[in-house]
Amino acid sequence: GDSVTQTEGQVTVSESKSLIINCTYSATSIGYPNLFWYVRYPGEGLQLLLKVITAGQKGSSRGFEATYNKEATSFHLQKASVQESDSAVYYCAPTGTQVVGQLTFGRGTRLQVYA
Amino acid sequence: DMKVTQMPRYLIKRMGENVLLECGQDMSHETMYWYRQDPGLGLQLIYISYDVDSNSEGDIPKGYRVSRKKREHFSLILDSAKTNQTSVYFCASRLGGSAETLYFGSGTRLTVL
């Protein structure tokens, strides 16, 4: 099975509502990695949204937050109040230790925010 | 300005033709990557390059080869393209270890007819 599982497909949210995109990873496959969320806005390449390299710590950027939960092997992305400009595809990407330099990406979650 | 540049942005080729996708970065990053992205599959790693002439296969290397003769350039080559290689290809680079950020190009949309 996948070593990274995130909320599949498309998520549609009304502006100003809250959002959570789930991400879990397999510690068996990846170990205890550094954790990243990348975002791809329309017409652009992926760019870093936030990262956390220490278990228990929280990363935040542009109103998004994610906490590295080592026990649950999760790194869920949350935002209290989304905006139309947040419409994009979000990728969870743990950096594994099994292969030097290799990231494993989730399949991506497309967020559509409507006014 | 930190940048990864991919050329071309769009490319249409016929089955059996050779394809060259180029990637450049201006950050002197050692490690570079080629990924492809297909709907519902996320990003799949094709090749990693750790430095000049130091390349390793990723998860889906079949049908592809790479070339890295200068640190700032990393090319992806499809010899005799196939229709199932229609995809969006992303190049990325990173300075060093696993805690470092990946910098991505804007992608090349390749269509093989």
Side-chain angles (χ1 to χ4, degrees):
Chain A
D2 286 350
S3 52
V4 183
T5 302
Q6 66 176 95
T7 301
E8 288 195 4
Q10 178 163 312
V11 174
T12 303
V13 182
S14 175
E15 198 169 32
S16 80
K17 297 298 185 184
S18 64
L19 167 75
I20 182 165
I21 298 176
N22 293 324
C23 174
T24 57
Y25 60 90
S26 168
T28 303
S29 300
I30 299 176
Y32 293 104
N34 303 302
L35 296 172
F36 298 76
W37 276 100
Y38 286 86
V39 57
R40 183 184 174 199
Y41 296 105
E44 301 181 13
L46 282 79
Q47 58 185 272
L48 178 70
L49 177 61
L50 56 85
K51 71 177 181 182
V52 179
I53 61 174
T54 303
Q57 296 294 311
K58 179 191 291 185
S60 61
S61 174
R62 307 178 206 178
F64 289 89
E65 295 181 336
T67 299
Y68 187 158
N69 187 327
K70 181 178 175 181
E71 289 72 29
T73 62
S74 69
F75 192 50
H76 305 321
L77 183 67
Q78 302 183 71
K79 189 170 185 179
S81 177
V82 298
Q83 303 169 349
E84 274 195 276
S85 57
D86 293 326
S87 296
V89 183
Y90 293 81
Y91 297 89
C92 180
T95 304
T97 56
Q98 279 71 10
V99 177
V100 174
Q102 184 166 339
L103 273 75
T104 303
F105 284 86
R107 297 189 177 196
T109 302
R110 180 177 297 277
L111 171 64
Q112 184 66 50
V113 180
Y114 63 94
Chain B
D1 193 22
M2 297 184 289
K3 202 170 182 180
V4 177
T5 304
Q6 287 186 242
M7 295 293 289
R9 289 295 305 272
Y10 301 92
L11 186 61
I12 299 175
K13 288 285 192 178
R14 294 195 180 279
M15 191 169 59
E17 292 185 327
N18 297 332
V19 178
L20 173 65
L21 304 184
E22 308 220 59
C23 176
Q25 49 101 356
D26 60 3
M27 298 167 278
S28 295
H29 285 173
E30 299 158 336
T31 310
M32 297 186 73
Y33 305 78
W34 277 106
Y35 288 91
R36 63 178 280 178
Q37 182 185 26
D38 300 292
L41 290 181
L43 277 81
Q44 300 176 82
L45 179 64
I46 306 172
Y47 268 94
I48 302 175
S49 175
Y50 296 104
D51 212 328
V52 171
D53 285 330
S54 178
N55 307 317
S56 291
E57 295 180 346
D59 297 322
I60 54 162
K62 187 177 180 181
Y64 303 94
R65 62 183 174 93
V66 292
S67 174
R68 191 157 179 213
K69 298 301 182 185
K70 294 183 180 180
R71 178 172 280 190
E72 60 269 24
H73 290 136
F74 189 34
S75 299
L76 181 69
I77 301 132
L78 289 66
D79 295 314
S80 187
K82 300 173 180 54
T83 55
N84 62 8
Q85 293 178 307
T86 293
S87 187
V88 180
Y89 292 85
F90 288 100
C91 174
S93 72
R94 184 165 68 182
L95 178 60
S98 60
E100 299 297 324
T101 300
L102 245 63
Y103 291 87
F104 283 85
S106 297
T108 294
R109 183 176 294 276
L110 171 66
T111 302
V112 182
L113 302 175

